[in-house]
Every structure is written in structure tokens, then in C-alpha cells.
Amino acid sequence: MALRYTVGGLGLVVMAFGGFLLVREPEPWRIAGWLAGGVLVHDALVAPLVIAVAALAAAAGLRLRGAARAALIVAGSLTVIALPPLLRPGGVANATVLPLDYPRNWLLAMAVLAVLAAGYAAARAVIRAVARRRAAAPPG
């Protein structure tokens, strides 16, 4: 319980420091707007999409385990972070502003995430199968 209070107190100190830095900015409402926008995008877009995918999977008889849920949450977060360059209009006047191929990199990140989640789930399934075989085997 003491650890919980310590971590909570540390979190309050970090939040207070962030608030102090925010009010020292020349235009703090712009940063506050971005922070509020992040919360709104999460609550209005990412969370409902994850819930919808989980509901569809449940309706199809699939059970989303921890790896799949974690992959969905990470994919949603990466997508929200990548939205500004992904949705940018056409070309930019200054080529150094957004110099990378963001749609391709986002797709690569999603593919890596899917491979990692599937690999983790497969490894867990193999470990469980081996443990079941060992438990079912007669001693000796």
C-alpha cells in the first residue's frame, strides 16, 4: 500500500511540474488544446473501435486474449500519433517538414506489431501445450 501512495504522490508531483511548464508557455491554450484533443480522440475514436473489434470477435466466437488486446491498443495509439502526417494535404512547400514516407512506415509498424502479437500468442500456446502434455504424462 505504501508503494501505491508513493507512486501516486510521484505522479502528482510530475503533473504539477507539467502544469507549471504549461502556464509558463507564451500560448498555453494551444498546448492544452492538443492535450484535450488527444483525450477526445482516444475517448471518441480509439476506445470505441477497440470495443467494437472485441465485440465483433466475441460475436464470431473468438476470444481476444491479452496479446491481441494489447496489439489493438498499441495500434490505435500509433495511428492517433501518425494521423497528422498521414492526413496531410498533398505535398508540402518545404520538403524537410515531413521528409519520410509516413503511410509506408505506419503500415510497416502495423505489420511488425501484428507479427509480434501473433508470435507472442503462438509461443504462449506452445508453452501451454507442452505444460499440458507434461502434466498428463504418467510419472516415471
Side-chain angles (χ1 to χ4, degrees), residues 45-125:
L45 184 66
V46 175
L49 281 174
V50 170
I51 291 170
V53 169
L56 287 172
L62 300 173
R63 216 174 125 202
L64 288 180
R65 301 213 179 258
R69 287 191 307 250
L72 285 172
I73 292 167
V74 171
S77 299
L78 284 175
T79 301
V80 168
I81 292 168
L83 276 179
L86 288 175
L87 298 177
R88 74 172 187 241
V92 292
N94 183 352
T96 63
V97 173
L98 295 171
L100 302 175
D101 186 0
Y102 290 97
R104 183 202 61 183
N105 292 344
W106 175 80
L107 286 172
L108 286 172
M110 294 298 113
V112 167
L113 180 62
V115 167
L116 288 174
Y120 177 80
R124 294 244 344 187

Side-chain angles (χ1 to χ4, degrees), residues 122-139:
R124 294 244 344 187
V126 168
I127 290 169
R128 284 187 183 141
V130 168
R132 267 189 253 119
R133 271 192 232 122
R134 285 186 181 163

